[in-house]
Amino acid sequence: MDRSVIADVPRDKYVERCKQRAFDYLDRGDLKGAVSSFVNNMDARPDCELPHHLAELGVVLWMSKDVQGWKVLIEGII
């Protein structure tokens, strides 16, 4: 996606879109897609990049196939 288009969306709305996309993947049972979508979309904007400790937690949750943990992680991002 064009970064200028991404930058035109207010941060709060952008984060909510990233969350919703990830939840859509989770609803389809695709944890890997949810993780990939969320991390890549959040990291597409400098003001939305995930802190290192949350990215590491996300990897641990993904490796342990902890869908509920990922839901909590995504919900907690503001």
Side-chain angles (χ1 to χ4, degrees):
M1 180 178 275
D2 182 3
R3 285 192 184 264
S4 63
V5 172
I6 293 171
D8 289 343
V9 177
R11 184 188 184 282
D12 60 333
K13 290 185 184 202
Y14 182 79
V15 171
E16 286 305 314
R17 286 182 189 172
C18 293
K19 289 179 174 186
Q20 189 55 55
R21 285 186 199 117
F23 286 134
D24 290 345
Y25 278 101
L26 289 175
D27 289 344
R28 293 190 304 260
D30 184 359
L31 178 58
K32 183 178 180 182
V35 171
S36 178
S37 171
F38 190 68
V39 171
N40 289 329
N41 287 324
M42 290 294 287
D43 286 351
R45 277 181 60 150
D47 62 339
C48 295
E49 286 181 40
L50 295 176
H52 187 69
H53 69 281
L54 289 181
E56 286 183 5
L57 174 60
V59 169
V60 170
L61 294 169
W62 173 66
M63 291 176 65
S64 63
K65 299 182 182 3
D66 186 346
V67 174
Q68 190 59 37
W70 254 99
K71 286 181 179 180
V72 171
L73 177 68
I74 293 168
E75 289 169 351
I77 301 295
I78 55 172

